[in-house]
Amino acid sequence: MEVQITSENFESLKNGAQPLVVDFWATWCGPCRMVAPIIAEIAEEYDGKVVVGKCDVEENDDLAAEMGIRSIPTLLFFKNGELVDRFVGATTKDVLVQKINALL
């Protein structure tokens, strides 16, 4: 299940025991809506192995700015508290699965 990422819980999730994938999105973003079902599927499939979260850039603009988000959707991939990969734009499930598997 997807976790709502906020400025308040980001640091603890980023530094948690499991890798973290964060989808930075907004409700008005068409490509974000295209990726949303893929993110939901991945969250279910990798439950217990990877934390998959969504961060609304309008509600958490401070966090989006801190992470250098300039276009959405942007997916950030963290392992051991460090940013290890980034993907900007809509993509296929296969591409995201390859990136997530690289975290494990």
Side-chain angles (χ1 to χ4, degrees):
M1 182 172 166
E2 300 156 319
V3 176
Q4 289 303 112
I5 305 288
T6 65
S7 301
E8 289 77 33
N9 68 3
F10 174 70
E11 285 297 322
S12 64
L13 291 169
K14 179 180 84 164
N15 294 307
Q18 296 177 342
L20 172 66
V21 178
V22 183
D23 174 21
F24 286 86
W25 69 287
T27 55
W28 47 263
C29 170
C32 298
R33 289 194 302 270
M34 288 173 38
V35 172
I38 297 170
I39 300 297
E41 281 179 36
I42 287 172
E44 291 297 321
E45 292 171 14
Y46 285 86
D47 188 36
K49 298 179 199 164
V50 176
V51 176
V52 178
K54 294 181 73 71
C55 181
D56 186 323
V57 297
E58 292 193 329
E59 293 177 7
N60 299 282
D61 58 343
D62 56 335
L63 182 56
E66 178 185 331
M67 293 289 99
I69 305 302
R70 302 207 189 302
S71 299
I72 53 174
T74 293
L75 287 100
L76 300 183
F77 301 82
F78 295 90
K79 184 172 185 173
N80 299 323
E82 298 295 320
L83 177 63
V84 295
D85 203 355
R86 159 186 305 253
F87 191 91
V88 179
T91 189
T92 64
K93 182 178 178 182
D94 290 341
V95 170
L96 296 179
V97 165
Q98 286 177 359
K99 290 188 172 291
I100 291 170
N101 286 337
L103 295 174
L104 301 175

